[in-house]
Amino acid sequence: MIERLLPGIAWLRHYDRGALQGDALAALIVTIMLIPQSLAYALLAGLPPEVGLYASMLPLVGYALFGTSSALAVGPVAVVSLMTAAAVGNYASVGTPEYLGAAIALALLSGLILVLMGLLRLGFLASFLSHPVISGFITASGILIATSQLKHILGVDAGGHTLLELVNSLAEHIDAVNLPTLAIGAGATLFLFWVRKSLKPLLIRLGLGPRLADSLAKAGPVAAVIVTILLVDFLSLDEAGVRVVGEIPQGLPPVTLPPFDLALWRDLLPSAVLISVIGFVESVSVAQTLAAKRRERIDANRELVGLGAANLMASISGGFPVTGGFSRSVVNFDAGARTPIAGVMTALGIGLTALLLTPLFRELPKATLAATIVVAVLSLVDLGALKRTWNYSKTDFAAMAATIALVLAVGVEAGVVAGVVLSVALFLVRSSRPHMAVVGQVPGTQHFRNVKRHQVAVSPVVLSVRVDESLYFANARWLEDKLYDMAVADRALKHVVLICSAVNDVDASALESLEALNERLKDAGVSFHLSEVKGPVMDKLKRSHFLDDMTGKVFLSQYDALAELDPAATREALHASRPPRSAATV
């Protein structure tokens, strides 16, 4: 029973020395990677740097207890940090106690929403965010985040929430660029790009093992932090205008409570919902990808509870919304993490850093943290997906392009909402005019194919139509009119057979349309039949009077239907020579 409530406990039953060694090594590497990331993402969210450290401790423990992934590394991530800044920035000014309080309240709301979704088993709702919308959102967010960090690399006081505002503000302040800051920021950015692309192959050529080389490459941001801190300290660059992190309070995160302001909670609720859904989609996709490599199973609903627990832990420890990060989860997996205990060990490492090492970060340039963010988020930008999506599906391209454009032009929340709404609208438009095909019998077989794509035999008295979509309110009347028009256009026609092999559901509106079509065809002297109806659909139809009133029959297969309705044509087609096999699609 306790393992059902706390899935993380199950890992302890089979925990051995090998798992301990793998988790310890992974925790060490992820801790080194997470320290600069947590400071940087706090900067991105407009929060004090120590808040990033706080958000990287207890949330990992919360997820370890309730999550189901052995390798997912939870903590601050770029996209959620950006969404936090956008949401909280509408309520308070950066640097004020109200701003921090709103960020903590946002973490609490996100945690409550995620836990509630998990308890209600609503993990499937994430499917309403189509991949093109998610891809477009992440790409646009990456561009927006990278642009927002240029002010720290240039050392200017630029601002803005949209791409145009940011670019205009940067242009207005370009004459105030601080050259030492630019040197540090540009140098750190180039170094981190080089580390990401070239350091590992170089270390392997020098004789290091692939695993050690990869671990050292992942520590590149730490090297950038150490070097730039030493530069600022030895050259007194802070006196030359280089902006540094400043004093970071030592100690573990304090127990905090978010402000219980109902008006604030109401204002933050829409943002909390979006952050929860976006964070869950990003996290569960990473968890499932890594789980597949070990043939493990991820429970989406328990993942919701695990991420909810992580955010609740963030809210009581002075943090802000968190989720599973792609890059650090991959590092955690590759470093050998065997269980969520690696996350607990990482939390301990961050805790020791907060207790003992925070004075060392006083001279850390904000430009270095900005460079860390820029390099991390630009790896998420995939503009090539626009071309690929355009070539494959124009409707999906429209949703993706709209998401990108609105995120850049209006903001992250407007972009993702518009993308979801457009995806649903395009789905309704597409499914309201489903693909329909008149089919005929392939000579020499019992198979039926589209008359426009194959050489088939067609009965003069039977119209066989396959509809490739479930029948529901959006397409019911269109299907009724289309079938009726096709039937009355041929005076020799005696039967209409609707092939339902691709129909997974018939809702009440569609049932009424089928009943109306049956009556209209009856008045025209044409019988209406169904074939290849799936079991669940047949169960629903049996609960109505439609089958009793239908002028025709329900056939197990289309061949059975044609064999009874026009046996002569069926036998002739069955014994005819079969045409050469075509490469055409069905």
Side-chain angles (χ1 to χ4, degrees), residues 164-442:
L164 183 60
E165 290 176 354
L166 288 168
V167 171
N168 285 339
S169 183
L170 288 170
E172 291 173 358
H173 294 84
I174 197 66
D175 56 345
V177 170
N178 182 272
L179 293 181
T181 300
L182 177 59
I184 289 175
T189 303
L190 293 175
F191 171 74
L192 292 174
F193 272 121
W194 176 80
V195 165
R196 182 177 287 257
K197 297 290 184 182
S198 305
L199 182 56
K200 181 180 177 180
L202 175 61
L203 294 175
I204 292 175
R205 288 197 299 270
L206 292 176
L208 274 67
R211 190 169 181 179
L212 178 58
D214 185 64
S215 300
L216 291 175
K218 295 296 189 299
V222 176
V225 166
I226 294 172
V227 170
T228 53
I229 287 176
L230 292 176
L231 283 174
V232 171
D233 190 32
F234 289 150
L235 301 179
S236 300
L237 294 179
D238 53 335
E239 298 177 4
V242 174
R243 297 175 184 177
V244 296
V245 169
E247 294 291 341
I248 300 178
Q250 279 184 274
L252 296 175
V255 176
T256 58
L257 290 175
F260 289 94
D261 183 341
L262 293 181
L264 170 64
W265 287 27
R266 183 187 63 245
D267 293 341
L268 292 178
L269 185 60
S271 299
V273 171
L274 286 177
I275 287 174
S276 300
V277 175
I278 292 292
F280 170 65
V281 170
E282 180 179 355
S283 177
V284 79
S285 62
V286 176
Q288 289 174 340
T289 300
L290 297 179
K293 295 181 179 181
R294 292 179 177 170
R295 298 189 177 183
E296 295 174 350
R297 181 177 177 272
I298 296 298
D299 187 323
N301 294 307
R302 289 189 176 184
E303 283 297 290
L304 281 167
V305 176
L307 292 174
N311 278 279
L312 291 176
M313 289 290 195
S315 70
I316 65 172
S317 57
F320 61 105
V322 298
T323 191
F326 176 78
S327 59
R328 80 175 68 106
S329 295
V330 172
V331 170
N332 197 39
F333 179 90
D334 291 342
R338 300 275 293 277
T339 74
I341 301 299
V344 177
M345 294 179 178
T346 300
L348 292 175
I350 300 295
L352 290 174
T353 301
L355 274 173
L356 305 174
L357 303 180
T358 52
L360 300 178
F361 298 112
R362 190 179 67 84
E363 302 294 340
L364 174 60
K366 290 185 176 181
T368 303
L369 296 179
T372 302
I373 294 173
V374 169
V375 174
V377 300
L378 287 184
S379 66
L380 304 176
V381 175
D382 184 11
L383 294 176
L386 282 168
K387 181 180 180 181
R388 295 192 299 272
T389 307
W390 169 265
N391 291 335
Y392 186 77
S393 171
K394 303 299 186 291
T395 54
D396 286 336
F397 170 83
M400 185 177 186
T403 302
I404 292 175
L406 284 170
V407 168
L408 296 178
V410 181
V412 289
E413 294 180 0
V416 71
V417 169
V420 172
V421 171
L422 185 57
S423 292
V424 174
L426 291 173
F427 167 77
L428 291 175
V429 170
R430 186 165 54 234
S431 61
S432 68
R433 298 292 186 270
H435 177 261
M436 293 177 61
V438 177
V439 303
Q441 187 176 356
V442 178

Side-chain angles (χ1 to χ4, degrees), residues 118-152:
L119 295 177
L120 296 177
R121 307 187 69 79
L122 298 180
F124 67 92
L125 290 178
S127 60
F128 283 99
L129 286 172
S130 67
H131 179 74
V133 169
I134 290 294
S135 178
F137 172 73
I138 291 176
T139 291
S141 297
I143 295 172
L144 202 60
I145 291 169
T147 306
S148 72
Q149 296 307 296
L150 291 179
K151 64 181 180 182
H152 296 297

